[in-house]
Amino acid sequence: IGSTLSSLSFLTGYFEHNYNPIYAPLINLILILKSIFINEVLINSVEIDEIKPKLYFNTELFVYYGRVASLTISSISIFILYLIFKKLKINFKIYGVLLIVFATSTAMLNIATTFGKNSSYLLIYLIQIYFLTKYLFKIDKFNFKSYILFGLLASLAWGINYWPAFISIYAIFFLHYKKFKLKKFNYLLIFLIIFLILGPIINFLFVGQSPFELISPNVDSSFNIVLFLESFVGDAIKSFEILYFNERNIILLVIFTPVFFLNKLTKFKKEYLIIFFLIFEPIFLFGISDKVIPQLRYFAGINCVILILIALVLNEINKVNYRYLSVLFLIFNFYFIYENFKINNEINKIIFNKHSFYTFNDNINIDKSKILYLINLNTQETLKQNLYYEELYNNN
């Protein structure tokens, strides 16, 4: 919220050196302003001059529109995943089921309903994978313009959540070597210039914290290699636990992959390995960092990689008449969808039920003005108090 308001400093007068990179708040801001215009101006007929005080005194509306922005971005991400499946020429029966699995997952619920940067991270993550797969399977289309494209994508990814930029960097160096070997280094230089200027340099001007502070281990005189390795392994195990409980297709991937590699008639084994490597990059970063811990919202992109791989494997296996594996895939995934809906329903029940504090409050039968609540009520101030704040603000 602070980063988004800072992006709107020409209207709010509020600016800070953000904790978050700058591009995700800007993307959210564009969608928030669009939603405000449609809902407040066009539908509710609110005058333009009245919108600012309305949001000032009803700050929950700003959060609401931020959540709408996350939902919009997440929905576009599902469409990009669909485009990846189409680019890989995956059978409709396979990708149709997998899209439903992902759309109903708790990872998607987490990022789509939260006002934050992780919906934008998922979108840029998938866009980069889309172009990686495009050039991976059609290397003849990889040309000078591709370096500019990946430079822009890497910059945008860096300005959203730093680490997704690795996909474009990884893609550009691998694809360059595949097509040009040790020639045309000027193309790589163009990519690096675009990335460094629009990514790290611009973010350095607006962000008050270096990204390396987040991922570097705490190395000092008391550094202990044994403790570091224990922490590294612990974070790696935690990451795979989150993957296992949130995207059960990783089980089918483990089962089907040996069949895929051992059969001589299946194609795209090298491409599989190139995409498969993407699973481990964030897990490695969690392992070496002493500040960032594995959490569900960081794994939506990796979940998509798992779905892309299982789709690629099953699509190839089907071509060599392993039809029974398709039946196994459908049975398990219909069960996964059922479990996702069940979990979503349980979460909704928790959210929409009144909690004990509110029930307790409703049961008070005496004069409530004499009740003292020993809780933080900073965000629940009176209209008079807010008018006082506005007066202070207007008078600097």
Side-chain angles (χ1 to χ4, degrees):
I1 294 172
S3 300
T4 305
L5 288 173
S6 185
S7 302
L8 199 63
S9 59
F10 64 93
L11 288 178
T12 62
Y14 170 82
F15 178 79
E16 66 177 3
H17 279 288
N18 295 330
Y19 172 81
N20 295 300
I22 63 170
Y23 292 140
L26 282 174
I27 294 170
N28 275 272
L29 175 61
I30 292 168
L31 292 173
I32 288 170
L33 293 177
K34 186 175 181 180
S35 296
I36 289 174
F37 178 76
I38 293 172
N39 196 44
E40 301 295 340
V41 178
L42 299 183
I43 297 177
N44 294 330
S45 302
V46 178
E47 296 293 332
I48 296 290
D49 294 339
E50 296 175 356
I51 290 177
K52 183 177 176 181
K54 181 176 181 179
L55 291 175
Y56 187 89
F57 292 120
N58 300 275
T59 50
E60 73 279 358
L61 286 177
F62 187 73
V63 178
Y64 168 76
Y65 288 122
R67 296 177 70 193
V68 171
S70 292
L71 181 60
T72 304
I73 297 168
S74 300
S75 300
I76 297 171
S77 299
I78 296 174
F79 178 71
I80 299 298
L81 181 59
Y82 158 77
L83 293 181
I84 294 171
F85 287 138
K86 293 292 288 183
K87 182 64 65 177
L88 296 175
K89 297 181 179 179
I90 304 299
N91 184 286
F92 169 75
K93 292 179 181 179
I94 298 172
Y95 78 72
V97 171
L98 292 178
L99 285 175
I100 298 173
V101 168
F102 182 63
T104 58
S105 67
T106 49
M108 178 55 74
L109 177 67
N110 186 303
I111 65 172
T113 59
T114 304
F115 180 9
K117 64 185 177 183
N118 289 293
S119 55
S120 296
Y121 131 68
L122 175 62
L123 179 60
I124 190 63
Y125 190 96
L126 289 175
I127 290 174
Q128 292 176 101
I129 291 180
Y130 172 81
F131 285 104
L132 170 60
T133 54
K134 173 184 175 180
Y135 294 123
L136 197 59
F137 288 87
K138 293 185 177 179
I139 193 65
D140 57 297
K141 293 187 176 181
F142 184 69
N143 53 36
F144 177 72
K145 293 181 181 179
S146 306
Y147 291 81
I148 298 175
L149 174 64
F150 276 115
L152 294 173
L153 288 175
S155 304
L156 189 57
W158 183 274
I160 289 176
N161 206 16
Y162 299 126
W163 65 269
F166 169 80
I167 297 177
S168 286
I169 297 170
Y170 170 67
I172 206 73
F173 281 96
F174 178 84
L175 293 170
H176 176 88
Y177 182 78
K178 184 176 181 180
K179 184 168 184 178
F180 300 116
K181 295 296 188 285
L182 299 178
K183 302 176 181 178
K184 296 191 181 294
F185 282 105
N186 55 315
Y187 287 5
L188 289 174
L189 184 61
I190 292 295
F191 164 79
L192 289 173
I193 290 172
I194 294 172
F195 167 60
L196 291 174
I197 293 175
L198 298 181
I201 293 176
I202 286 184
N203 273 272
F204 176 77
L205 300 176
F206 292 92
V207 182
Q209 183 179 29
S210 167
F212 299 105
E213 294 179 34
L214 299 174
I215 63 170
S216 59
N218 185 18
V219 180
D220 53 26
S221 58
S222 62
F223 177 74
N224 186 306
I225 186 64
V226 175
L227 293 177
F228 171 76
L229 291 175
E230 287 180 358
S231 175
F232 184 96
V233 173
D235 284 340
I237 292 173
K238 182 65 176 178
S239 297
F240 281 110
E241 284 179 352
I242 292 174
L243 280 175
Y244 170 76
F245 286 109
N246 183 244
E247 185 45 74
R248 298 292 180 88
N249 271 291
I250 194 172
I251 304 171
L252 297 182
L253 187 64
V254 172
I255 296 172
F256 292 172
T257 294
V259 179
F260 169 71
F261 273 97
L262 291 174
N263 194 295
K264 296 180 179 179
L265 299 177
T266 54
K267 301 177 182 178
F268 311 126
K269 293 182 174 68
K270 291 181 180 178
E271 289 78 5
Y272 173 100
L273 292 174
I274 292 165
I275 298 172
F276 179 76
F277 179 75
L278 297 175
I279 293 176
F280 298 96
E281 180 234 347
I283 295 174
F284 174 78
L285 293 178
F286 290 136
I288 66 174
S289 173
D290 65 337
K291 293 183 179 180
V292 182
I293 61 174
Q295 297 182 54
L296 177 61
R297 62 181 181 269
Y298 300 136
F299 286 86
I302 304 177
N303 287 355
C304 290
V305 172
I306 292 171
L307 296 179
I308 292 167
L309 290 174
I310 191 67
L312 180 65
V313 167
L314 195 63
N315 208 54
E316 286 301 303
I317 287 175
N318 275 344
K319 294 177 183 178
V320 292
N321 295 322
Y322 283 90
R323 301 289 179 178
Y324 65 93
L325 292 180
S326 296
V327 175
L328 184 66
F329 165 82
L330 291 174
I331 292 172
F332 272 90
N333 273 276
F334 281 126
Y335 173 73
F336 298 155
I337 293 170
Y338 165 76
E339 282 292 306
N340 286 347
F341 274 113
K342 183 179 177 181
I343 293 171
N344 274 273
N345 186 51
E346 290 173 356
I347 291 172
N348 284 330
K349 283 182 179 179
I350 293 171
I351 292 172
F352 289 109
N353 283 340
K354 285 189 174 182
H355 299 282
S356 59
F357 173 77
Y358 299 104
T359 306
F360 168 76
N361 192 57
D362 290 338
N363 290 335
I364 297 175
N365 296 318
I366 61 175
D367 184 1
K368 294 186 180 181
S369 65
K370 297 179 180 178
I371 302 297
L372 172 64
Y373 294 103
L374 298 178
I375 59 173
N376 189 341
L377 293 174
N378 286 338
T379 59
Q380 302 179 26
E381 294 166 339
T382 64
L383 176 61
K384 184 177 179 181
Q385 182 77 3
N386 277 284
L387 287 169
Y388 175 62
Y389 285 152
E390 185 181 38
E391 183 181 355
L392 290 174
Y393 174 79
N394 290 334
N395 287 282
N396 294 316

